[in-house]
Structures are given as structure tokens and as C-alpha cells.
Amino acid sequence: MLIGGTALLLGGGGLAAYATTALAGNNTPDTMSGHQQHTASAITISCPDVGERLRTVPRSAQLSVSKGLSSLDKQVHDAYHKMMGGSGADVLNPLKAQRQKTIKMMVTAIAKNTKRPSYLLKMSGCTTKPVDEGAGAGGGDSTKSVQDGWYQGQNQTQGADQNQDQNQDQNQQDQNQQGQDQQGQDQQGQDQQGGQQGQAGGPSPDDFVDINNVQPNADAPPFAAPQGGNASTGTFTTECGRNEDGHFNSDNVIVTPGVSNGAHHTHDYVGNKATDAFSDDNKLAASDTTCDNGDQSTHYWPVLRKLDGNAEQKPGAAQDANVGTTLTPATVTLTFRGSQVGQVEAMPRFMKIITGDAKAFTNGTKNANASWSCTGFEDRQLKDKYPLCPQGSQVVRTFAFQNCWNGQDIDSGNHRDHVTFSDQNGACPQGFKAIPQLVQRITYDVPQGQSFAVDSFPEQLHKPVTDHGDFINVMPDQLMSKAVDCINGGRNCT
């Protein structure tokens, strides 16, 4: 019996200790598909996602908060290594003490210029849970219709978030105790396994599905264009290339500005050439761009890799257990579309939007917005499976961004609250107004079979549900006005 464990780092949220057991007669790596054939048991050190609960972060506290989130990542990583060492030592109590100190530092920095977010102090305790529970609330059949609340209408009120926050606070103490009770049993299992380190985990064969076996499910926005008498039916497409210049890094200027390797996976960039962790609005506005029409906007997403074992590391990017040859997109299409119920208003310059959740495998699917398909089959969209495409068909990733704005803020503490999705009829919630909806569509030529995976935080096991896109609008105001006029006028412009 061959036993291994994989160290999996979770940014600010949790960490998975992934133990694989290869049984006699089934212990040969499948080198063609990149998978180890095994039965698997896995445990996770699951910590509340502090970043998701942030509401207001003053500019003066931004760097302290970014560094704090990065420290939380490292603390969970170190706790995992101690647990996998097989010593039987307690890890949850020391981890809680470390997190208390870091979160208190973040709270103090925020409170200097705004209301003290004391609720964050209740988020220091962590628990253990089985990884095989899946992606959490909102998961299920990966082929269910996009009308079922996955893509649009998923964050219609802030009240739902507040209720969730209250429930998390009420349950945290019970979860902490449960984690302490579970730890002895989990540690015993690690001791029996010897705490050996294996290959990086994921994806698994179960993460792939033949697109021919998927029923059509994408018959509503964002995959059906707005239509009807009240709809704004035009489009504006911006051409920014396919990252031919090789702009890569493992930063995330939206979520962790000022911190190198804040993403713990490599991002693929088009548009603004200056984008990295240290790019402020002035730097972005002064930069050259790969886009036409002087569009200096930033578009980025995790790279897609071939599962060939290649340990290449892109300049400026850390590896963090993401291994394989980086695939260059065959095409990148960036299109802004209108609203089903009326005209759209211009986005403000420097607005920041993230769609999807890079930690959806452990956070749950509340903010997930992954969408995978194949050319010729785009009426079939997958949320938590990679598509196996027939010969001659390309893999397609589609990111349909939030299309409603609160009319005031270009960003928010958790980088989500200032924007949201329209409901299934295309209407924005009260207090929000319709803006052009960005749709990033990226296609790839991939080898046949279970041969590719998206870069991810290591603990996310390269799950397709974690796919996500990022956007910073740096269009000159005149160009944004042209885009809005085209969309509202029913014209297709470039």
C-alpha cells in the first residue's frame, strides 16, 4: 500500500490535507491523463474567509489588510505541515491564537478611519471537515440550468449576507469545539499514514464529463443575448489579443494590492501592460495597452495548464503546486452587452469587478460563476466539471460579469458588494442600475482526454468550480460613452 499526503495552502480561508491511498492492483499513475489512480480520503482545516466578510476598508488600511490576509494564508499552511508531520500535536488552538493576533491587527487598522469591524474577531477559530463534502451550499448537478440561480439573481439583497454573517457568528463557537473533537481522530489517521508527502492533488477523473452527455441548459441570460422591445440589444467588442506578450504574474491587484504572489496561482493578462500587485489607478492610466482604441482596461484570469508534468514557472509568478505547460488561448473575445429591461449606464473609470470565487471548493458556491463548454456545444454550460470535447472542438471558458452597479462605489471591502447580478427577468435590485455586462470568452486547443486544469489555490485541487475572471475598467470616458451608445442604440460596434 502506497500512502501519500498533499500540502494544500488556502488563502485566508482554509487548508486541505489530502491523503491518497493507492491499493494493490491500482497504484499506477495514469501519466497520459495526469491523474494518480487512487481511492482518496481528505480532511480540511477550514477557517472562516475573512476577506469575504470585509465590508469597508479605508485606503489608509488597505496595505495592512492585504498583508493580514497574506499572513492568514501562511498560518494555515504552517498548521497543515505540523499536522502532517505525524507528531499528534494540537494545531487548531495555536492556529486560532495566531489568527486572533492577525485579525486584531486588521481590525485596528480599519477602525482608525471607520467603524470598528468587531465581528471579524469572531473568525479566528478553525475546524476540520472532510473534503469529499464537495463545494458546499449551492452545489449539486453541474448540468443544471443557469436559470436556477447560479449565474444571475444570486445576490439580490444585502440582507441575505447579513443573515449569513449572524448565523456564522452564532455557530462559530460550536464549530470550534467540533474541530477540537475531530482533530484527535484526524491526527490518528495521519499518524497511521506516516505523514508522507505525495504529488499535488487534483483534478480527479470525476471532474471531467463528456459534453455529449450534457443536456442543453443555457437558454437564458447571460448566454442568451438581451432581446425584446425594452432590451438594449447592441454590443461593444474590444480587441486585446491573447497575451502574446507573455504578461503573467501570481499577484491579485484587486484582492491583495501591494502583496506579491497574493493569488498563489498564475494569472493570464490582456489589456493594460502595467498590471501587477503594485499598480494603482495612476499607474494603470499611464500604461500602454494591448487593446484597440486606447482601451487601457485590465482583464485577467487563471492560466489553463496541460497536465504534462512540466514544472515551468512564468517570470513574475510563483508555482504553488500548479504544474504543467501553460496553454495559450486560441481566441479571446471581450464583449459588453446590454440589459433585458432597458438601457444601460456607463461604468465609472477604475471600477473593479471580480466574478466567480477562486475558493469555491471550500467556501461553497454562493459566489461561484464558473462556466465551461466546447465550441459547437455552448448551449451546454458546466459549473463544476471540465468538458471533454470531441475532436476538432475547443474548450471554452466564459465569464459573464455582474451587470448591476450601486451607482456610487468603484470597489467595496470584499470586492463584491458594489455590483450584483440582475434577476432572471433582467431587472436590477433596488438601489442598483444596469451597466454594460462584460462577457469574457476564452477558447483553447487542448489534448484529447482528461489532460488540462485551471490554476488554483493549492487547496482548491484545481477544481473547475473555482474558475474566475477579473476586470478593471480603464476605458477613457469617451470610449465608454461610445460603448454605451452602441449598446443602447442596438448597434454592434468595435
Side-chain angles (χ1 to χ4, degrees), residues 69-327:
L69 292 174
S70 181
S71 294
L72 293 175
D73 292 348
K74 187 176 187 302
Q75 290 160 10
V76 179
H77 175 264
D78 291 346
Y80 164 78
H81 281 292
K82 186 174 182 181
M83 183 174 68
M84 289 299 289
S87 66
D90 171 39
V91 298
L92 292 183
N93 282 322
L95 175 59
K96 180 178 180 179
Q98 289 179 314
R99 285 172 58 86
Q100 282 178 330
K101 182 177 180 180
T102 300
I103 295 172
K104 183 177 180 180
M105 176 274 294
M106 296 167 64
V107 167
T108 300
I110 292 171
K112 289 180 179 179
N113 288 284
T114 191
K115 182 179 178 181
R116 180 178 176 86
S118 298
Y119 64 92
L120 295 177
L121 298 173
K122 301 177 182 179
M123 302 180 69
S124 57
C126 303
T127 63
T128 59
K129 71 172 186 177
V131 170
D132 59 10
E133 289 180 358
D141 183 2
S142 68
T143 63
K144 83 175 188 180
S145 173
V146 296
Q147 298 183 62
D148 294 336
W150 182 278
Y151 296 101
Q152 295 206 12
Q154 56 189 355
N155 289 322
Q156 288 300 303
T157 66
Q158 300 304 318
D161 287 342
Q162 293 171 358
N163 290 337
Q164 182 186 37
D165 291 347
Q166 292 171 359
N167 291 336
Q168 287 176 342
D169 292 343
Q170 292 170 357
N171 293 333
Q172 187 62 49
Q173 184 174 359
D174 292 340
Q175 291 174 348
N176 291 347
Q177 183 59 51
Q178 180 184 7
Q180 300 296 339
D181 294 341
Q182 286 179 328
Q183 186 178 338
Q185 180 178 354
D186 293 336
Q187 185 62 51
Q188 181 180 4
Q190 296 297 336
D191 293 344
Q192 292 171 350
Q193 293 166 1
Q196 299 177 33
Q197 301 299 303
Q199 296 299 309
S204 75
D206 290 340
D207 291 327
F208 293 83
V209 64
D210 188 335
I211 197 68
N212 289 294
N213 296 332
V214 178
Q215 294 300 313
N217 61 0
D219 52 354
F223 298 101
Q227 55 186 330
N230 295 324
S232 45
T233 59
T235 63
F236 183 83
T237 300
T238 184
E239 173 58 51
C240 298
R242 301 177 294 117
N243 194 15
E244 291 92 340
D245 294 343
H247 184 178
F248 301 97
N249 60 53
S250 53
D251 301 340
N252 193 331
V253 67
I254 296 179
V255 178
T256 51
V259 178
S260 296
N261 193 35
H264 295 281
H265 51 266
T266 300
H267 282 133
D268 212 345
Y269 291 83
V270 299
N272 198 290
K273 291 186 175 183
T275 311
D276 61 21
F278 306 96
S279 301
D280 60 15
D281 292 347
N282 290 331
K283 184 177 179 180
L284 294 175
S287 173
D288 197 0
T289 179
T290 68
C291 300
D292 292 343
N293 300 314
D295 182 0
Q296 297 166 291
S297 297
T298 292
H299 300 261
Y300 61 104
W301 45 80
V303 299
L304 201 66
R305 291 185 191 265
K306 187 189 305 182
L307 298 178
D308 57 4
N310 185 356
E312 71 168 354
Q313 184 172 331
K314 292 296 185 181
Q319 196 170 67
D320 291 299
N322 290 292
V323 177
T325 301
T326 300
L327 293 167

Side-chain angles (χ1 to χ4, degrees), residues 335-362:
T335 302
F336 293 88
R337 301 198 301 197
S339 166
Q340 186 68 29
V341 298
Q343 295 192 338
V344 298
E345 297 188 16
M347 291 182 183
R349 201 174 195 209
F350 304 116
M351 172 181 275
K352 300 171 177 64
I353 310 179
I354 58 176
T355 198
D357 185 358
K359 303 173 186 175
F361 186 58
T362 53

Side-chain angles (χ1 to χ4, degrees), residues 343-390:
Q343 295 192 338
V344 298
E345 297 188 16
M347 291 182 183
R349 201 174 195 209
F350 304 116
M351 172 181 275
K352 300 171 177 64
I353 310 179
I354 58 176
T355 198
D357 185 358
K359 303 173 186 175
F361 186 58
T362 53
N363 279 352
T365 57
K366 171 188 172 185
N367 292 313
N369 196 16
S371 189
W372 298 86
S373 190
C374 303
T375 55
F377 298 85
E378 288 179 77
D379 59 344
R380 311 171 193 195
Q381 297 290 330
L382 299 165
K383 303 188 302 278
D384 59 1
K385 301 288 184 184
Y386 292 118
L388 296 175
C389 303

Side-chain angles (χ1 to χ4, degrees), residues 41-64:
S41 63
I43 59 172
T44 298
I45 297 179
S46 180
C47 303
D49 191 340
V50 174
E52 171 62 23
R53 295 280 301 279
L54 292 171
R55 292 296 176 260
T56 301
V57 180
R59 182 178 296 273
S60 61
Q62 190 175 72
L63 184 58
S64 294

